[in-house]
Amino acid sequence: MASRKTSHPNRDRGDKYSVLLPTYNERENLPLIVWLLVKYFGESGYNYEIIVIDDGSPDGTLEVAEQLQKIYGEDKILLRPRAKKLGLGTAYIHGMKHATGNFIIIMDADLSHHPKFIPEFIEKQKEGNYDLVSGTRYQGNGGVYGWDLRRKLISRGANFLTQVLLRPGASDLTGSFRLYKKKVLESLVERCVSKGYVFQMEMIVRARQLNYTVGEVPISFVDRVYGESKLGGNEIVSFVKGLLTLFATT
């Protein structure tokens, strides 16, 4: 008797999902996140590719990515490195130029976003034909693990301020685990002017302005497994400045 897992009706729908993984010093995390992506895409049967955009990591992340490409194949792992850190928005633009999927998934490569939620994102998108689906830490059974009280307060406070000032129509503005229709992401990135942590927030605000539909899936966010967190005082100041700029201009 044939196993049910060999049949994947989803593959017949013609959709393809391009996962953009911007990396900087992620040599320990990259093999794990790629293995998990391959596992969950393989089990769910959706067509996919993983595009690694490394910004000149001094720790040898690109060399690790090259080994992963040999293991999983050039059709599944695409390497599109850049010489230095040039920002998240330009990383997405760079990755999209090489993406062959009609949907784009953006997520962190540091294991704070678990690929097990991706099939839920895809199902949610199909359910309402949403233009984008965002992972939320603040609805349903979503949550944050591994953060101290300070970081939780900063995140909650930033989200609350954003909700009050911008009324974006989504519960988690600063998260970076999302699924977009490719054309929608291209349109949003063209319009976004923010950098750093404000960039993800502006993407949702611009989506509301353009009347794009937004679905949400509760996710568990786990603080990065290896390496150092990038949230510091300068990022907090930049966030507040960016938030006030968006409030004044949108």
Side-chain angles (χ1 to χ4, degrees):
M1 183 173 157
S3 168
R4 290 186 180 181
K5 283 195 173 182
T6 59
S7 175
H8 292 299
N10 302 315
R11 285 181 177 158
D12 298 328
R13 297 179 185 174
D15 291 327
K16 184 175 182 179
Y17 299 86
S18 299
V19 181
L20 304 188
L21 281 185
T23 59
Y24 188 77
N25 288 349
E26 299 289 0
R27 64 169 295 144
E28 292 99 341
N29 293 315
L30 191 60
L32 290 168
I33 193 72
V34 167
W35 180 80
L36 287 167
L37 283 165
V38 171
K39 168 181 164 62
Y40 285 100
F41 271 112
E43 288 178 357
S44 59
Y46 294 108
N47 192 12
Y48 73 97
E49 63 184 2
I50 301 165
I51 303 176
V52 180
I53 306 141
D54 186 65
D55 277 1
S57 297
D59 74 339
T61 299
L62 183 58
E63 287 76 10
V64 171
E66 288 168 349
Q67 293 300 315
L68 293 169
Q69 188 181 56
K70 290 176 183 176
I71 294 169
Y72 296 109
E74 294 183 8
D75 60 325
K76 292 301 182 189
I77 311 291
L78 285 72
L79 308 182
R80 297 295 180 263
R82 304 188 296 177
K84 60 181 180 178
K85 290 185 80 169
L86 296 168
L88 201 55
T90 59
Y92 293 150
I93 293 169
H94 184 68
M96 279 191 292
K97 285 178 183 175
H98 304 282
T100 59
N102 55 325
F103 288 93
I104 304 285
I105 293 168
I106 62 169
M107 63 189 302
D108 294 343
D110 62 7
L111 296 172
S112 55
H113 299 143
H114 201 300
K116 69 181 179 182
F117 295 109
I118 288 176
E120 293 180 42
F121 278 48
I122 295 172
E123 288 162 19
K124 184 72 176 181
Q125 190 282 322
K126 292 184 182 299
E127 175 187 301
N129 192 27
Y130 291 107
D131 294 309
L132 71 103
V133 175
S134 181
T136 177
R137 298 161 288 182
Y138 305 124
Q139 291 289 331
N141 58 355
V144 175
Y145 301 91
W147 278 5
D148 58 20
L149 182 60
R150 171 181 165 273
R151 285 205 65 181
K152 286 183 178 179
L153 287 174
I154 290 170
S155 178
R156 282 283 187 178
N159 210 59
F160 176 74
L161 268 176
T162 308
Q163 294 287 350
V164 169
L165 292 176
L166 303 179
R167 303 178 186 277
S171 64
D172 191 340
L173 283 303
T174 56
S176 54
F177 191 3
R178 295 176 184 163
L179 180 155
Y180 292 87
K181 291 180 179 177
K182 185 180 181 182
K183 290 180 180 178
V184 169
L185 182 57
E186 288 171 338
S187 172
L188 291 173
V189 169
E190 282 177 5
R191 289 170 170 79
C192 285
V193 297
S194 304
K195 294 181 180 179
Y197 289 90
V198 187
F199 177 79
Q200 301 294 358
M201 178 175 69
E202 185 180 357
M203 295 278 277
I204 292 285
V205 174
R206 300 290 179 200
R208 181 205 63 184
Q209 282 184 326
L210 296 168
N211 294 318
Y212 288 135
T213 53
V214 182
E216 293 192 309
V217 169
I219 62 164
S220 302
F221 177 95
V222 180
D223 199 19
R224 60 182 299 119
V225 176
Y226 296 108
E228 296 180 4
S229 172
K230 301 177 181 74
L231 180 65
N234 290 338
E235 283 75 15
I236 296 168
V237 172
S238 296
F239 174 84
V240 173
K241 285 181 179 176
L243 173 59
L244 293 176
T245 300
L246 278 177
F247 178 62
T249 59
T250 60

